[in-house]
């Protein structure tokens, strides 16, 4: 944060440290339990987990771009988009990220990359069609705030344990349903080991899920605040939030379902109309809360506070 003009956020920094510490404890407990339950496969599981973390951390930008069908564009291909990014870089004194476009009608944007040098800011064609330049500036300032705050890298690492535990739980259940419990020899031992592995994995997944969701909601408020203060136009960001949320509700359900896997990285979550159970564990705070914060910042700026 010292190298940019984005407003610092001690609350976000402390939350990231606490989240990483707690997830580290969960990870140690998870690996220890795995070694105790299935010592023969513990080393193999640990090697696979480390390799997975390495790939996720160093190639998260490429994996996300590939999954979203995004492509890096040059200033000649997207001069207006690059112009907005250049203005934000000048205001924030931040290094310019790679600029990308994803060809989808879902109006959204996201930032990815383990540090500022590897950062990519991607917008969808649906977003470019719907926002005016001032609103787009607010959205992109929000995404670049994530890079400046380093919370993109933290979320990439933090999500690692949940993904591993979720995969083990899934494969363990499938193996038990289709193979493990259908064998008569050593049924009891196999069943108990399988249940223990699935139980530990499910618990680790639940804890990591709740921790990352809580951090994700706060980091969105932090990025909104930093972007509004940097641009001095909280109303533009509020307008973009309102417009994008309304437009997303009109997107076909199938398209939204494909995009929901990336909600943690999006400017606003890909949810349709109405309330669902998924809203309870959303990666983003409610729209009303984000708008209320922006209105408060607007009032403060108007009073010169």
């Amino acid at each position: 944060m010292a190298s940019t003009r984005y407003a610092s956020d001690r609350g976000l920094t402390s939350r990231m440290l606490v989240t990483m510490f707690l997830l580290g404890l969960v990870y140690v407990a998870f690996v220890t339990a795995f070694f105790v339950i299935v010592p023969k496969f513990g080393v193999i599981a640990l090697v696979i987990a480390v390799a997975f973390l390495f790939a996720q951390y160093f190639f998260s930008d490429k994996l996300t771009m590939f999954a979203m069908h995004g492509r890096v564009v040059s200033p000649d291909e997207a001069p207006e988009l690059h112009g907005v990014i250049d203005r934000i870089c000048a205001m924030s004194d931040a290094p310019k990220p790679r600029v990308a476009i994803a060809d989808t009608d879902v109006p959204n944007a996201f930032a990815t990359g383990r540090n500022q040098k590897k950062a990519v800011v991607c917008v969808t064609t649906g977003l470019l069609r719907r926002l005016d330049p001032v609103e787009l500036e607010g959205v992109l300032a929000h995404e670049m705030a994530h890079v400046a705050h380093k919370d993109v890298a933290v979320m990439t690492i933090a999500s690692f344990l949940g993904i591993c535990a979720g995969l083990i739980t899934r494969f363990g259940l499938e193996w038990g349903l289709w193979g493990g419990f259908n064998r008569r020899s050593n049924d009891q031992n196999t069943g108990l080991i399988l249940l223990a592995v699935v139980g530990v994995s499910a618990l680790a997944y639940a804890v990591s899920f709740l921790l990352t969701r809580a951090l994700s909601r706060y980091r969105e408020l932090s990025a909104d605040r930093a972007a509004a203060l940097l641009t001095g136009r909280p109303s533009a960001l509020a307008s973009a939030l309102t417009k994008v949320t309304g437009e997303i509700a009109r997107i076909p359900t199938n398209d939204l379902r494909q995009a929901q896997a990336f909600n943690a990285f999006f400017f606003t979550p890909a949810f349709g109309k109405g309330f669902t159970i998924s809203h309870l564990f959303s990666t983003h705070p409610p729209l009303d809360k984000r708008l209320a914060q922006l209105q408060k910042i607007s009032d403060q700026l108007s009073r010169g506070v």
Side-chain angles (χ1 to χ4, degrees), residues 63-82:
L63 292 173
T64 305
M65 289 289 289
F66 175 78
M68 281 297 299
H69 306 291
R71 64 181 184 90
V72 175
V73 293
S74 67
D76 291 334
E77 293 175 287
E80 294 181 1
L81 179 58
H82 272 271

Side-chain angles (χ1 to χ4, degrees), residues 31-90:
V31 172
T32 301
F34 208 87
F35 269 95
V36 171
I37 297 169
V38 280
K40 293 181 180 180
F41 301 101
V43 175
I44 297 174
L46 182 60
V47 171
I48 293 174
V50 171
F52 190 83
L53 174 60
F54 179 87
Q56 185 180 17
Y57 181 72
F58 286 98
F59 302 107
S60 60
D61 54 336
K62 294 180 177 62
L63 292 173
T64 305
M65 289 289 289
F66 175 78
M68 281 297 299
H69 306 291
R71 64 181 184 90
V72 175
V73 293
S74 67
D76 291 334
E77 293 175 287
E80 294 181 1
L81 179 58
H82 272 271
V84 175
I85 294 288
D86 287 337
R87 287 199 301 274
I88 296 170
C89 290

Side-chain angles (χ1 to χ4, degrees), residues 13-35:
T13 302
S14 62
R15 281 170 172 80
M16 288 193 295
L17 290 173
V18 170
T19 299
M20 294 302 294
F21 175 74
L22 292 176
L23 283 174
L25 292 180
V26 174
Y27 182 70
V28 171
F30 175 69
V31 172
T32 301
F34 208 87
F35 269 95

Side-chain angles (χ1 to χ4, degrees), residues 193-275:
I193 291 174
L194 181 63
L195 286 174
V197 170
V198 171
V200 170
S201 300
L203 180 61
Y205 176 79
V207 173
S208 63
F209 179 88
L210 294 175
L211 287 173
T212 53
R213 287 301 184 274
L215 175 61
S216 181
R217 288 191 291 270
Y218 186 89
R219 83 183 188 113
E220 293 302 329
L221 289 173
S222 179
D224 283 347
R225 184 164 53 251
L229 292 173
L230 179 74
T231 62
R233 293 171 174 171
S235 60
L237 183 55
S239 175
L241 270 169
T242 304
K243 186 181 293 186
V244 170
T245 303
E247 290 294 324
I248 282 179
R250 299 185 179 93
I251 300 296
T253 304
N254 288 339
D255 293 341
L256 288 180
R257 286 175 180 169
Q258 293 177 4
Q260 283 174 2
F262 304 95
N263 273 347
F265 295 98
F266 278 156
F267 170 64
T268 190
F271 286 135
K273 292 181 179 179
F275 180 84

